[in-house]
Amino acid sequence: MLIGKTSLREYEIREIESLRERYPVKQALIIDALMIVQKRSGWISDELIKSLADFLDFSVEEIDSVATFYNLIFRKPVGKHKILICSSLCCWLNGSDLISENLKKILGIEFGGTTSDGQFTLIPIQCLGMCDKSPAMMIDEDSFGCLKVNNLTDILESFD
Ligand code: FES
Protein backbone atom coordinates (compact mmCIF):
# COMPACT_ATOMS: atom_id res chain seq x y z
CA MET A 1 0.00 0.00 0.00
CA LEU A 2 1.63 3.25 -1.13
CA ILE A 3 -1.02 5.78 -2.02
CA GLY A 4 0.12 9.33 -1.41
CA LYS A 5 1.48 10.73 1.79
CA THR A 6 -1.58 9.99 3.90
CA SER A 7 -1.43 6.23 3.48
CA LEU A 8 0.85 3.72 5.09
CA ARG A 9 4.13 3.20 3.33
CA GLU A 10 5.65 -0.13 2.45
CA TYR A 11 8.40 0.12 5.04
CA GLU A 12 5.87 1.02 7.76
CA ILE A 13 3.74 -1.97 6.85
CA ARG A 14 6.77 -4.26 6.92
CA GLU A 15 7.82 -2.93 10.33
CA ILE A 16 4.32 -3.31 11.78
CA GLU A 17 3.97 -6.80 10.30
CA SER A 18 7.30 -7.83 11.82
CA LEU A 19 5.85 -7.13 15.28
CA ARG A 20 2.54 -8.94 14.86
CA GLU A 21 3.64 -12.31 16.21
CA ARG A 22 5.10 -10.65 19.31
CA TYR A 23 1.58 -9.70 20.41
CA PRO A 24 -0.98 -12.48 20.85
CA VAL A 25 -3.67 -9.85 21.53
CA LYS A 26 -3.98 -7.62 18.49
CA GLN A 27 -4.87 -4.50 20.51
CA ALA A 28 -1.37 -4.65 21.98
CA LEU A 29 0.09 -3.81 18.57
CA ILE A 30 -1.64 -0.44 18.32
CA ILE A 31 0.87 1.66 20.29
CA ASP A 32 3.87 0.24 18.43
CA ALA A 33 2.10 0.75 15.12
CA LEU A 34 1.34 4.36 16.05
CA MET A 35 4.98 4.93 17.06
CA ILE A 36 6.17 3.46 13.76
CA VAL A 37 3.90 5.73 11.73
CA GLN A 38 4.72 8.75 13.87
CA LYS A 39 8.41 8.48 12.94
CA ARG A 40 7.53 9.75 9.47
CA SER A 41 6.70 13.34 10.43
CA GLY A 42 6.65 13.47 14.22
CA TRP A 43 2.87 13.41 14.54
CA ILE A 44 -0.12 11.47 13.25
CA SER A 45 -2.77 13.01 11.02
CA ASP A 46 -6.44 11.99 10.86
CA GLU A 47 -5.69 10.37 7.51
CA LEU A 48 -2.97 8.19 9.02
CA ILE A 49 -5.27 7.19 11.89
CA LYS A 50 -7.79 6.06 9.26
CA SER A 51 -5.12 4.17 7.30
CA LEU A 52 -3.91 2.42 10.45
CA ALA A 53 -7.47 1.56 11.46
CA ASP A 54 -8.10 -0.01 8.06
CA PHE A 55 -4.80 -1.87 8.09
CA LEU A 56 -5.11 -3.21 11.66
CA ASP A 57 -8.83 -3.87 11.32
CA PHE A 58 -9.99 -1.56 14.07
CA SER A 59 -12.38 1.37 13.99
CA VAL A 60 -10.97 4.88 13.65
CA GLU A 61 -12.30 5.58 17.14
CA GLU A 62 -10.40 2.64 18.63
CA ILE A 63 -7.11 3.76 17.10
CA ASP A 64 -7.71 7.40 17.96
CA SER A 65 -8.61 6.60 21.57
CA VAL A 66 -5.20 4.95 22.03
CA ALA A 67 -3.45 7.78 20.19
CA THR A 68 -5.05 10.47 22.32
CA PHE A 69 -4.60 8.58 25.60
CA TYR A 70 -0.89 7.95 25.20
CA ASN A 71 0.95 11.22 25.71
CA LEU A 72 3.88 10.38 23.44
CA ILE A 73 1.64 10.07 20.42
CA PHE A 74 1.07 13.48 18.87
CA ARG A 75 -2.15 14.25 16.99
CA LYS A 76 -1.07 17.65 15.77
CA PRO A 77 2.22 18.96 14.38
CA VAL A 78 4.97 19.32 16.97
CA GLY A 79 8.35 20.96 16.98
CA LYS A 80 11.58 19.43 15.76
CA HIS A 81 12.48 18.73 19.39
CA LYS A 82 10.05 17.57 22.08
CA ILE A 83 10.79 18.76 25.62
CA LEU A 84 9.21 16.45 28.20
CA ILE A 85 9.30 18.13 31.60
CA CYS A 86 8.44 15.97 34.58
CA SER A 87 5.64 17.24 36.77
CA SER A 88 5.47 14.32 39.22
CA LEU A 89 6.01 14.52 42.97
CA CYS A 90 9.81 14.29 43.37
CA CYS A 91 10.40 16.81 40.63
CA TRP A 92 7.67 19.08 41.92
CA LEU A 93 9.17 18.99 45.43
CA ASN A 94 12.52 19.93 43.91
CA GLY A 95 11.30 22.88 41.90
CA SER A 96 9.93 21.62 38.61
CA ASP A 97 7.30 24.39 38.64
CA LEU A 98 10.05 26.99 38.55
CA ILE A 99 11.85 25.11 35.78
CA SER A 100 8.63 24.84 33.77
CA GLU A 101 7.81 28.51 34.19
CA ASN A 102 11.28 29.48 33.02
CA LEU A 103 11.13 27.14 30.04
CA LYS A 104 7.82 28.73 29.07
CA LYS A 105 9.31 32.18 29.40
CA ILE A 106 12.48 31.36 27.44
CA LEU A 107 10.55 29.61 24.67
CA GLY A 108 7.58 31.99 24.65
CA ILE A 109 5.05 29.15 24.74
CA GLU A 110 2.71 27.39 27.14
CA PHE A 111 2.47 23.65 27.77
CA GLY A 112 1.47 21.91 24.57
CA GLY A 113 2.75 24.82 22.50
CA THR A 114 5.40 24.92 19.80
CA THR A 115 7.86 27.74 19.28
CA SER A 116 7.23 29.95 16.27
CA ASP A 117 10.39 28.66 14.58
CA GLY A 118 9.13 25.09 14.94
CA GLN A 119 12.12 24.04 17.02
CA PHE A 120 10.56 23.03 20.37
CA THR A 121 7.30 21.70 21.76
CA LEU A 122 6.91 21.77 25.55
CA ILE A 123 5.05 18.86 27.13
CA PRO A 124 4.44 18.11 30.82
CA ILE A 125 4.80 14.44 31.60
CA GLN A 126 4.63 12.04 34.52
CA CYS A 127 7.71 10.53 36.13
CA LEU A 128 10.63 10.02 33.76
CA GLY A 129 12.28 7.53 36.13
CA MET A 130 14.99 10.01 37.10
CA CYS A 131 13.60 10.92 40.54
CA ASP A 132 17.09 10.80 42.08
CA LYS A 133 18.06 13.59 39.68
CA SER A 134 14.93 15.69 40.02
CA PRO A 135 13.88 18.04 38.63
CA ALA A 136 14.29 16.29 35.33
CA MET A 137 13.36 16.58 31.68
CA MET A 138 14.03 14.89 28.38
CA ILE A 139 14.59 16.52 25.04
CA ASP A 140 14.01 13.91 22.38
CA GLU A 141 16.14 10.95 23.55
CA ASP A 142 18.43 12.97 25.85
CA SER A 143 17.88 13.15 29.61
CA PHE A 144 18.68 16.13 31.80
CA GLY A 145 18.56 16.03 35.59
CA CYS A 146 19.27 18.26 38.59
CA LEU A 147 17.97 21.12 36.46
CA LYS A 148 18.73 24.67 37.46
CA VAL A 149 17.08 27.74 36.02
CA ASN A 150 20.44 29.12 34.94
CA ASN A 151 21.41 26.11 32.83
CA LEU A 152 18.21 25.90 30.76
CA THR A 153 19.34 28.25 28.01
CA ASP A 154 22.60 26.33 27.51
CA ILE A 155 20.69 23.07 27.26
CA LEU A 156 18.23 24.50 24.73
CA GLU A 157 21.02 26.04 22.68
CA SER A 158 22.71 22.65 22.36
CA PHE A 159 19.83 21.58 20.09
CA ASP A 160 19.93 22.90 16.53
S1 FES B 1 9.27 12.44 39.71
FE1 FES B 1 10.34 13.43 38.10
S2 FES B 1 11.60 11.89 37.30
FE2 FES B 1 10.43 10.87 38.81
Side-chain angles (χ1 to χ4, degrees), residues 8 30 35 38 70 85 87:
L8 300 182
I30 296 175
M35 295 301 278
Q38 183 169 264
Y70 186 45
I85 175 83
S87 59

Side-chain angles (χ1 to χ4, degrees), residues 85-93 96 125-137:
I85 175 83
C86 177
S87 59
S88 291
L89 186 61
C90 286
C91 287
W92 179 75
L93 288 171
S96 64
I125 196 161
Q126 296 303 302
C127 184
L128 291 166
M130 303 169 56
C131 313
D132 59 324
K133 297 184 182 69
S134 59
M137 69 176 178

Side-chain angles (χ1 to χ4, degrees), residues 5 30 44 53-54 57 59 62 66 74 78 112 115 127 149-150 153:
K5 67 179 183 178
I30 296 175
I44 301 181
D54 291 345
D57 196 25
S59 68
E62 286 170 310
V66 175
F74 304 105
V78 288
T115 54
C127 184
V149 167
N150 60 9
T153 301

Side-chain angles (χ1 to χ4, degrees), residues 92-149:
W92 179 75
L93 288 171
N94 285 300
S96 64
D97 279 359
L98 186 60
I99 298 296
S100 293
E101 289 313 307
N102 276 274
L103 282 170
K104 290 177 187 175
K105 198 183 309 175
I106 293 167
L107 297 167
I109 55 176
E110 294 297 318
F111 281 144
T114 298
T115 54
S116 56
D117 61 2
Q119 277 292 97
F120 295 102
T121 297
L122 183 62
I123 303 157
I125 196 161
Q126 296 303 302
C127 184
L128 291 166
M130 303 169 56
C131 313
D132 59 324
K133 297 184 182 69
S134 59
M137 69 176 178
M138 288 186 73
I139 301 181
D140 304 330
E141 306 301 319
D142 297 326
S143 302
F144 300 91
C146 304
L147 293 170
K148 303 266 186 270
V149 167

